């Protein structure tokens, strides 16, 4: 079998790798687990200064609550089996948030495909609705560019008490690792490394499909939160790509310790599995937690109450090695740092050019409500601004603050210029966030790209675009994910950076849709300077009580008409001209003085009216 | 002279594909009803009528319907039975 | 002392926390009762929405046969107040406590949105605060909400427009004794204007009135 970093592995081990090690490292050093192509770029991005407990992904909302959020791709599995690929994508990101001790509170997606693939939407709908996490937003972009490589990016937001964040690292020798969730089968063996290959590759046909089990996920969520409530969990990591191996080696290595795992203890769904298959299986709906030997029994009792499989999988050891044992036989033993420090590709130099004259590359029109009405966006009774206007607004019960959340991307621009496509998408996400009266807190990014070995410059352009935009806007990047090798027959997707942006909102200051005159304010061209001006206009008009929308595509506003009618209003609006990239907003205002106070150098055009239906 | 033929199509997940629905229901039957159920898989059945000149042609039409739409060949398998 | 309400939790129930919160807002003292539990001694029993056992067999089918459901039956047969919302309505139907069936929406998809409803019966413990024929808005969120009529049920709530293909646009029905109310819309999601409309609150306040009026049964 081919393994790109074979020589590197041999060098680091100082010997020939065994067949089991080759299987293991193919997964662990894949882009999906190891971020070998993107890690050095990620280091360049601005970090959050107010992160809690040094945990990059945890940002404060008020004195009590913090939000955690992350986006993740599930592109390759969704290309092979749309329904289950999309469903398990949602499940995976929810567990990611859960492992930090947060209750999953909102979920979003960003979908790119060649035509409306009902399987993908249904996969998200069936899974998300069942687990009781509201799907509050997303984007659906239909274009030929994504015909063979659909992009399914799922984002989750969780809320957690600031002092109850669960670390994802081991803290002492003798700590035990308890596994619970669904039984382990051969699902998705090599899914992670498959996610790093051309779709026509050999693995595409051999991959065993992961099937989502939302009932199990729901039980897992409640079991985990119950264990947390009882103070039983000292550390946690969900099992995703790389399965047992990835989760347990990361926990140990993050605490500068080692681990031993006993693979024969793993509850199996298929009894004839090889030890290495158990080690790297990507069976869904599983979680690994660290606890003391005394507390392990109670953890397993809770797991069983919630109808989950469970076992003490192994323990943390002083020696900095990763040891996998099967029936008293050591099947793999390597220095733990070799697993968790994959070879890293260097940053490719990049200097941005001028903003190009973008051509208009239209996406096919889709009525958004046809999609989001299939998602339960209200369960949890915290959805203050529902999907349809841009970012959703969520409250946190008992707090005077809430958060806004949006996913946004510009593959149409990325196709023309990877740097500016990413840059503009990022600033547009900021514009959207400000428009609902929120102040940006942080970004989670999902890099969707073609082949970085073939074309390293485009990836570099995206990462520089993200870095520069975040620095311009003063917004940190708190988490992210990369999906590379989105190519079919050598043809790549457009560089598509998906931005997940969370902002902080004061509930008393929320402006809901209302009657008034409709204005378009701003310029038909994008520039950073215009953008800065528009942001200030948004802040002023919002505090004046105006309802603001910030679509990146102004040519189709039927979606807004539908959403206003849900609220009992009718939106009458003229056709609006807009360049592919612009610095414009749509404002609904019932007090002329607000508009009169806008600086006269800024273009303002009245384009319609919102009336009571 | 075309005739109407009547078929049942039984669609199941392929043997190597997980069926979480079946697994859950099996667990309930074993755990709460004490029934010795060792395997349970839930599929779909489609009751279909087609017009054709011969049974062979009719079955070919039904199989085409399966392959083009009714069955997801990545994860499902099917059997056709004339009734 | 506030009346005590049981919120029944099956594996896979997902509106239990929302229902608990709504009951508290309305002035009840709610408690969770799990699938092994017993609802004896409560002033109200609520079966919340969700996907009990994933709805993997039929919506509500496995839950309807759990130990707690047996205690709900005893409770209901003694005249206790039972409110079944969404999946809870499906469970009540699987238990045979309410007549009819709930099948897949005609659209074939899950539908989540606010809908307009008409109150068609106010002479019961659940809707006394509404006007007969009054129009209200509540959210729906279901894939299996198409009500199929069997016999002549006590219809308490109808959709103003057809949303899921239900017979006679039926959205909620009462048992013969009117102590059991099942509905597909979610009153617990309509408690505060902040989230849209607050018509749901009057469902819980009606129940409170009824209990406070000395109508305790169990």
């Amino acid at each position: 079998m081919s393994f790109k970093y074979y020589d590197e592995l041999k060098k680091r081990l100082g010997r020939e790798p065994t067949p089991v090690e080759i299987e293991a490292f193919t997964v662990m050093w894949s882009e999906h687990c190891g971020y070998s192509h993107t890690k050095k770029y990620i280091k360049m991005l601005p970090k959050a200064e107010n992160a809690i407990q040094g945990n990059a992904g945890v940002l404060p909302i008020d004195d009590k609550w913090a939000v955690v959020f992350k986006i993740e791709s599930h592109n390759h599995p969704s290309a092979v089996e749309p329904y289950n690929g999309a469903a398990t994508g949602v499940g995976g990101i929810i567990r990611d948030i859960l492992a930090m001790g947060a209750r999953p509170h909102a979920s979003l997606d960003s979908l790119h495909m060649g035509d409306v693939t009902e399987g993908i939407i249904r996969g998200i709908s069936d899974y998300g609705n069942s687990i009781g996490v509201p799907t509050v937003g997303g984007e659906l972009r239909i274009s030929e560019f994504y015909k063979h490589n659909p992009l399914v990016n799922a984002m989750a937001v969780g809320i957690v008490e600031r002092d109850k964040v669960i670390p994802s690292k081991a803290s002492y020798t003798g700590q035990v690792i308890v596994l619970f969730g669904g039984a382990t089968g051969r699902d998705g063996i090599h899914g992670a490394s498959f996610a790093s290959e051309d779709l026509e590759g050999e693995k595409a046909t051999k991959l065993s499909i992961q099937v989502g089990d939302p009932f199990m996920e729901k039980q897992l969520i409640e079991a985990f939160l119950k264990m947390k409530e009882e103070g039983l969990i000292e550390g946690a990591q969900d099992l995703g790509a790389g399965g047992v191996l990835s989760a347990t080696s990361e926990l140990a290595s993050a605490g500068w310790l080692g681990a031993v795992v006993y693979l024969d203890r793993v509850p199996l769904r298929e009894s004839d599995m090889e030890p290495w298959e158990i080690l790297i299986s990507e069976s869904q709906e599983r979680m690994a937690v660290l606890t003391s030997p005394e507390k392990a029994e109670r953890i397993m009792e809770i797991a069983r109450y919630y109808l989950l499989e469970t076992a003490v999988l192994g323990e943390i050891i002083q020696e900095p090695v990763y040891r996998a044992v099967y029936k008293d036989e050591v099947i793999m033993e390597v220095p733990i740092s070799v697993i968790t420090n994959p070879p890293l590709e260097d940053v490719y130099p990049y200097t941005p050019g001028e903003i190009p004259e973008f051509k208009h590359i239209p996406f096919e029109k889709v009525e958004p409500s046809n999609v989001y009405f299939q998602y339960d966006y209200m369960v949890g009774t915290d959805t203050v601004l529902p999907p349809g206007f841009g970012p959703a607004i969520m409250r946190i019960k008992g707090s005077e603050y809430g958060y806004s959340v949006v996913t946004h991307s510009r593959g149409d621009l990325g196709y023309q210029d990877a740097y500016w496509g990413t840059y503009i998408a990022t600033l547009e996400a900021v514009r959207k966030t400000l428009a609902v009266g929120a102040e940006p807190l942080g970004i989670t990014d999902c890099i969707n790209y073609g082949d970085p070995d073939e074309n390293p410059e485009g990836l570099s352009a995206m990462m520089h675009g993200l870095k520069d935009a975040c620095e311009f806007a003063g917004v940190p990047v708190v988490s992210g994910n990369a999906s590379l090798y989105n190519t079919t027959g050598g043809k790549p997707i457009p560089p598509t950076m998906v931005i997940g942006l969370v902002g902080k909102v004061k509930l008393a200051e929320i402006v809901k849709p209302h009657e008034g005159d409709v204005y378009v304010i701003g310029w038909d061209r994008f520039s950073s300077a215009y953008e800065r001006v528009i942001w200030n206009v948004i802040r002023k008009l919002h505090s004046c009580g105006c309802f603001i929308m910030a679509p990146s595509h102004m040519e189709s506003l039927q979606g807004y008409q539908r959403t206003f009618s849900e609220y009992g209003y009718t939106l009458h609006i003229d056709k609006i001209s807009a360049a592919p990239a612009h610095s414009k907003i749509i404002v609904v205002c019932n007090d002329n003085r607000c508009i009169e106070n806008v600086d006269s150098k800024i273009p303002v055009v009245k384009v319609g009216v919102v009336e009571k239906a | 002279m075309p005739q109407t033929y009547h078929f049942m199509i039984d669609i199941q997940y392929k043997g190597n594909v997980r069926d979480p629905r079946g697994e859950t229901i099996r667990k309930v039957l074993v755990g709460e009803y004490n029934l010795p159920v060792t395997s349970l898989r839930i599929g779909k059945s489609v009751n279909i009528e087609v017009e054709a000149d011969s049974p062979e042609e009719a079955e070919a039409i039904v199989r085409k319907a399966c392959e083009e739409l009714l069955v997801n060949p990545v994860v499902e398998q099917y059997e056709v039975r004339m009734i | 002392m506030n009346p005590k309400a049981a919120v029944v939790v099956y594996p896979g129930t997902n509106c239990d926390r929302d229902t608990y919160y709504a009951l508290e807002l309305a002035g009840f003292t709610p408690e969770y009762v799990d699938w092994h539990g017993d609802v004896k001694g409560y002033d109200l029993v609520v079966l919340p929405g969700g996907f009990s056992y994933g709805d993997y067999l039929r919506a509500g089918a496995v839950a309807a046969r759990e130990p707690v459901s047996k205690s709900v039956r005893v409770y209901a047969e003694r005249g206790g107040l039972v409110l079944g919302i969404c999946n809870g309505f499906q469970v009540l139907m699987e238990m045979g406590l309410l007549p009819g069936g709930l099948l897949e929406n005609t659209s074939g998809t899950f539908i989540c949105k606010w809908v307009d409803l008409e109150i068609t019966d106010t002479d019961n413990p659940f809707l006394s605060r509404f006007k007969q024929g009054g129009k209200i808005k509540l959210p729906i969120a279901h894939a299996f909400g198409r009500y199929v009529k069997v016999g002549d049920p006590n219809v308490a709530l109808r959709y103003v427009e057809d949303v899921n293909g239900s017979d006679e646009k039926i959205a909620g029905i009462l048992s013969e004794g009117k102590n059991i109310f099942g509905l597909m819309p979610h009153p617990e999601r309509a408690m505060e204007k902040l989230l849209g409309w607050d018509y749901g609150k009057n469902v819980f306040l009606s129940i409170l009135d009824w209990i406070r009026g000395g109508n305790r049964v169990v």
Side-chain angles (χ1 to χ4, degrees):
Chain A
M1 82 173 292
S2 67
F3 171 43
K4 191 176 162 189
Y5 297 119
Y6 182 88
D7 292 337
E8 175 70 21
L9 178 59
K10 190 173 158 187
K11 200 174 91 193
R12 295 229 208 146
L13 293 175
R15 59 177 168 78
E16 284 290 332
T18 66
V20 169
E21 284 161 354
I22 291 174
E23 297 290 353
F25 280 87
T26 305
V27 178
M28 290 305 296
W29 285 5
S30 69
E31 187 63 32
H32 203 85
C33 287
Y35 294 91
S36 50
H37 285 86
T38 48
K39 204 170 223 167
K40 288 191 178 173
Y41 291 111
I42 294 166
K43 288 210 168 113
M44 312 184 314
L45 301 171
K47 304 276 176 304
E49 282 159 15
N50 55 346
I52 289 170
Q53 292 174 10
N55 197 328
V58 188
L59 300 178
I61 285 282
D62 64 9
D63 293 342
K64 185 180 178 197
W65 292 100
V67 285
V68 303
F69 51 95
K70 199 179 170 200
I71 193 165
E72 196 167 67
S73 67
H74 227 224
N75 302 343
H76 289 72
S78 305
V80 178
E81 218 293 278
Y83 178 84
N84 282 298
T88 51
V90 174
I93 195 63
I94 293 282
R95 288 191 297 282
D96 215 301
I97 294 302
L98 181 67
M100 295 167 86
R103 178 174 274 279
H105 193 245
S107 117
L108 296 92
D109 51 60
S110 169
L111 309 175
H112 291 73
M113 48 189 109
D115 47 46
V116 180
T117 310
E118 286 297 335
I120 290 178
I121 292 159
R122 223 184 164 100
I124 292 171
S125 152
D126 281 358
Y127 203 98
N129 295 347
S130 184
I131 61 174
V133 178
T135 304
V136 300
E139 50 172 8
L140 174 57
R141 305 250 173 260
I142 306 297
S143 156
E144 275 292 301
F145 289 131
Y146 302 97
K147 191 171 174 190
H148 299 290
N149 288 88
L151 305 185
V152 175
N153 294 180
M155 175 175 173
V157 188
I159 54 172
V160 58
E161 300 92 325
R162 292 173 66 146
D163 56 349
K164 288 185 183 143
V165 178
I166 292 174
S168 50
K169 63 178 183 188
S171 40
Y172 57 90
T173 303
Q175 215 171 9
V176 297
I177 307 166
V178 182
L179 176 72
F180 62 89
T184 300
R186 287 196 177 81
D187 324 65
I189 296 243
H190 281 318
S193 48
F194 162 70
S196 312
E197 283 190 15
D198 191 299
L199 264 186
E200 290 188 333
E202 167 200 17
K203 296 254 173 59
T205 51
K206 279 201 196 156
L207 179 77
S208 51
I209 306 287
Q210 301 166 11
V211 176
D213 184 350
F215 173 65
M216 189 82 79
E217 179 93 347
K218 171 69 175 150
Q219 295 294 92
L220 181 86
I221 293 170
E222 297 307 327
F224 185 92
L225 292 172
K226 173 82 174 153
M227 293 167 193
K228 182 196 151 191
E229 192 188 299
E230 292 191 13
L232 303 169
I233 302 176
E234 299 169 357
Q237 183 81 49
D238 63 304
L239 275 71
V244 165
L245 171 62
S246 177
T248 54
S249 64
E250 278 171 22
L251 281 170
S253 147
W256 302 100
L257 291 160
V260 54
V261 295
Y262 303 96
L263 298 171
D264 43 294
R265 296 182 186 172
V266 174
L268 298 183
R269 207 175 54 245
E270 299 170 62
S271 55
D272 59 341
M273 286 174 71
E274 298 287 331
W276 69 267
E277 291 179 314
I278 301 170
L279 186 64
I280 63 170
S281 157
E282 291 176 12
S283 283
Q284 300 289 303
E285 294 100 15
R286 296 182 300 162
M287 184 73 87
V289 295
L290 292 166
T291 191
S292 66
E294 313 79 70
K295 289 185 288 198
E297 192 45 52
R298 176 64 188 146
I299 285 192
M300 295 200 288
E301 201 176 284
I302 292 173
R304 288 186 206 108
Y305 171 84
Y306 283 98
L307 314 170
L308 304 170
E309 304 282 347
T310 183
V312 173
L313 176 62
E315 63 184 20
I316 298 302
I317 54 175
Q318 192 61 42
E319 205 184 341
V321 299
Y322 188 84
R323 188 181 300 138
V325 180
Y326 184 79
K327 293 185 175 163
D328 298 328
E329 193 187 326
V330 175
I331 64 145
M332 183 175 104
E333 178 164 332
V334 291
I336 199 155
S337 61
V338 181
I339 304 181
T340 51
N341 289 297
L344 297 183
E345 305 284 340
D346 279 329
V347 165
Y348 192 87
Y350 182 80
T351 315
E354 290 294 304
I355 301 184
E357 278 300 322
F358 284 112
K359 287 196 297 280
H360 190 66
I361 302 177
F363 289 110
E364 203 177 295
K365 280 182 194 157
V366 198
E367 170 51 45
S369 63
N370 289 345
V371 178
Y372 67 72
F373 281 163
Q374 294 187 44
Y375 300 152
D376 189 343
Y377 57 86
M378 297 187 215
V379 63
T381 58
D382 284 331
T383 312
V384 177
L385 191 66
F389 293 111
I393 295 181
M394 304 297 293
R395 66 143 171 212
I396 297 172
K397 290 187 180 92
S399 173
E400 56 178 317
Y401 292 94
Y403 62 88
S404 72
V405 57
V406 69
T407 52
H408 184 59
S409 64
R410 289 304 298 269
D412 56 334
L413 304 185
Y415 177 72
Q416 302 175 62
D417 186 312
Y419 175 88
W420 287 107
T422 303
Y423 187 92
I424 292 170
T426 309
L427 296 199
E428 283 178 342
V430 172
R431 197 195 299 156
K432 285 169 185 286
T433 299
L434 294 170
V436 295
E439 285 297 328
L441 264 182
I443 280 174
T444 180
D445 67 288
C446 199
I447 304 157
N448 297 280
Y449 189 69
D451 187 340
D453 303 322
E454 193 81 11
N455 179 7
E457 193 185 5
L459 178 61
S460 183
M462 283 174 94
M463 299 309 290
H464 280 89
L466 178 63
K467 169 180 179 281
D468 291 350
C470 289
E471 284 173 357
F472 176 82
V475 184
V477 176
V478 303
S479 60
N481 180 251
S483 170
L484 306 180
Y485 304 96
N486 290 286
T487 59
T488 301
K491 202 165 178 267
I493 56 151
T496 309
M497 177 72 83
V498 176
I499 303 294
L501 179 49
V502 172
K504 181 173 160 176
V505 185
K506 190 160 190 187
L507 293 179
E509 290 169 4
I510 290 172
V511 177
K512 292 237 181 172
H514 55 67
E515 291 163 276
D517 290 332
V518 183
Y519 302 88
V520 166
I521 300 178
W523 293 270
D524 238 346
R525 236 192 83 211
F526 172 88
S527 86
S528 301
Y530 285 160
E531 201 59 26
R532 185 81 79 196
V533 174
I534 277 295
W535 292 357
N536 285 327
V537 171
I538 293 174
R539 287 193 177 99
K540 277 193 195 136
L541 289 176
H542 184 270
S543 58
C544 200
C546 301
F547 183 75
I548 306 167
M549 292 161 285
S552 52
H553 298 83
M554 296 241 175
E555 60 276 12
S556 63
L557 301 171
Q558 290 100 320
Y560 288 132
Q561 277 158 344
R562 177 83 180 256
T563 324
F564 269 101
S565 79
E566 284 293 310
Y567 263 80
Y569 296 103
T570 312
L571 166 68
H572 302 281
I573 191 163
D574 300 338
K575 243 189 157 25
I576 300 171
S577 74
H582 58 76
S583 292
K584 272 169 123 170
I585 50 170
I586 299 174
V587 178
V588 182
C589 190
N590 52 20
D591 183 350
N592 279 340
R593 283 168 299 178
C594 301
I595 300 294
E596 282 160 14
N597 283 335
V598 174
D599 190 323
S600 61
K601 289 193 236 40
I602 305 167
V604 176
V605 187
K606 183 165 183 266
V607 293
V609 64
V610 172
E611 293 169 339
K612 265 221 146 61
Chain B
M1 184 70 180
Q3 248 187 299
T4 301
Y5 296 91
H6 193 170
F7 294 85
M8 284 297 276
I9 309 168
D10 175 48
I11 304 170
Q12 297 279 346
Y13 270 150
K14 285 179 183 168
N16 61 342
V17 175
R18 252 195 94 185
D19 173 28
R21 297 198 298 157
E23 284 167 20
T24 303
I25 300 305
R26 188 191 74 84
K27 265 194 222 165
V28 171
L29 288 173
V30 172
E32 299 188 25
Y33 294 78
N34 283 318
L35 295 171
V37 180
T38 51
S39 169
L40 191 159
R41 292 175 72 83
I42 298 176
K44 277 179 277 211
S45 68
V46 178
N47 198 325
I48 187 171
E49 287 177 12
V50 297
E51 259 188 11
D53 290 324
S54 68
E56 295 74 26
E57 193 199 341
E59 187 172 330
I61 292 168
V62 171
R63 287 191 180 278
K64 193 163 171 355
C66 286
E67 270 146 44
E68 303 219 334
L69 179 67
L70 298 176
V71 176
N72 174 357
V74 180
V75 289
E76 291 173 335
Q77 62 193 18
Y78 69 96
E79 274 173 30
V80 173
R81 186 163 52 88
M82 195 185 294
I83 54 176
Chain C
M1 215 181 75
N2 290 344
K4 271 170 68 188
V7 177
V8 177
V9 184
Y10 298 103
T13 297
N14 70 21
C15 299
D16 44 334
R17 297 169 67 247
D18 301 354
T19 305
Y20 187 102
Y21 177 77
L23 284 162
E24 262 190 331
L25 275 185
F28 286 86
T29 300
E31 279 172 21
Y32 295 117
V33 177
D34 80 4
W35 56 100
H36 307 295
D38 193 323
V39 297
K40 197 175 163 190
Y42 288 92
D43 299 301
L44 167 71
V45 172
V46 188
L47 275 54
F51 289 74
S52 54
Y53 288 93
D55 279 356
Y56 283 169
L57 187 61
R58 292 182 308 278
V62 180
R65 290 152 181 88
E66 291 289 359
V68 73
S69 305
K70 296 190 173 105
S71 83
V72 171
R73 181 187 302 280
V74 173
Y75 179 89
E77 282 168 358
R78 290 165 61 186
L81 290 190
V82 180
L83 174 64
I85 304 166
C86 201
N87 197 232
F89 185 17
Q90 292 161 339
V91 172
L92 290 175
M93 206 148 286
E94 277 282 342
M95 287 172 68
L97 288 179
L98 289 173
L102 287 161
L103 301 182
E104 193 167 33
N105 299 344
T106 38
S107 65
T109 60
F110 191 93
I111 305 172
C112 176
K113 62 190 287 197
W114 287 89
V115 296
D116 294 313
L117 295 150
E118 186 190 341
I119 308 281
T120 55
D121 187 327
T122 56
D123 184 21
N124 64 70
F126 304 93
L127 300 166
S128 59
R129 284 212 178 196
F130 295 97
K131 277 203 290 272
Q132 177 74 21
K135 300 272 165 50
I136 64 168
K137 267 179 190 289
L138 292 176
I140 56 163
H142 59 247
F144 284 77
R146 175 164 55 94
Y147 181 74
V148 179
K149 210 176 119 176
V150 173
D152 195 17
N154 279 329
V155 179
L157 207 54
R158 282 185 213 272
Y159 304 106
V160 172
E161 279 166 29
D162 178 33
V163 293
N164 56 15
S166 290
D167 286 349
E168 297 166 19
K169 297 187 209 143
I170 293 170
I173 56 170
L174 292 157
S175 62
E176 223 173 279
K178 293 193 172 182
N179 63 318
I180 308 170
F181 180 34
L183 74 168
M184 286 315 292
H186 287 267
E188 85 284 8
R189 295 186 181 187
M191 299 296 289
E192 302 156 275
K193 287 226 160 71
L194 180 69
L195 307 186
W197 290 269
D198 62 354
Y199 293 103
K201 202 163 182 178
N202 275 338
V203 174
F204 296 100
L205 292 178
S206 298
I207 303 170
L208 211 59
D209 289 348
W210 195 84
I211 294 168
R212 292 234 160 100
N215 292 308
R216 297 175 75 110
V217 175
V218 184

